[in-house]
């Protein structure tokens, strides 16, 4: 089965909310610490080729990791009903 593919990371955010990669319950190479079902999606443009997501429109248990993500200033300080903040690639 082919996994979903998106042109940019903002397209992933619009569909799935904040990626699991930026959550305190996520560790690379293992399932969510809360046992949520996850899947990977491809990102065609930019330096992040794949992201892990949970469900459409995000995860109510998402909690942002401290510090910066991907060595960038990653977050726009706006929350959503789904938890987390929007990832900034600008």
């Amino acid at each position: 089965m082919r996994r979903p593919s998106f042109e940019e990371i903002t397209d992933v955010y619009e569909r799935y909310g904040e990626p699991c990669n930026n959550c305190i319950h996520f560790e690379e190479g293992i399932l969510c610490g809360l046992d949520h079902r996850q899947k990977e999606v491809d990102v065609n443009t930019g330096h992040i080729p794949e992201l892990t997501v949970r469900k459409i429109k995000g995860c109510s248990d998402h909690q942002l990791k401290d510090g910066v993500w991907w060595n960038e200033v990653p977050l726009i300080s706006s929350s959503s009903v789904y938890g987390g903040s929007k990832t900034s690639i600008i």
Side-chain angles (χ1 to χ4, degrees), residues 35-82:
D35 294 325
H36 294 152
R37 293 175 60 187
Q38 297 172 307
K39 67 179 171 183
E40 290 185 341
V41 298
D42 293 323
V43 182
N44 298 326
T45 303
H47 64 286
I48 302 170
E50 61 186 27
L51 290 170
T52 304
V53 295
R54 181 168 169 233
K55 60 183 179 180
I56 292 177
K57 295 297 181 186
C59 172
S60 60
D61 296 318
H62 182 89
Q63 294 180 40
L64 293 173
K65 291 179 183 177
D66 288 334
V68 289
W69 184 49
W70 298 103
N71 298 317
E72 299 176 347
V73 177
L75 306 170
I76 297 171
S77 58
S78 64
S79 61
S80 73
V81 296
Y82 303 106

Side-chain angles (χ1 to χ4, degrees), residues 14-25:
E14 292 301 320
R15 179 162 181 135
Y16 292 103
E18 189 77 28
C20 296
N21 305 66
N22 202 18
C23 179
I24 64 169
H25 303 296

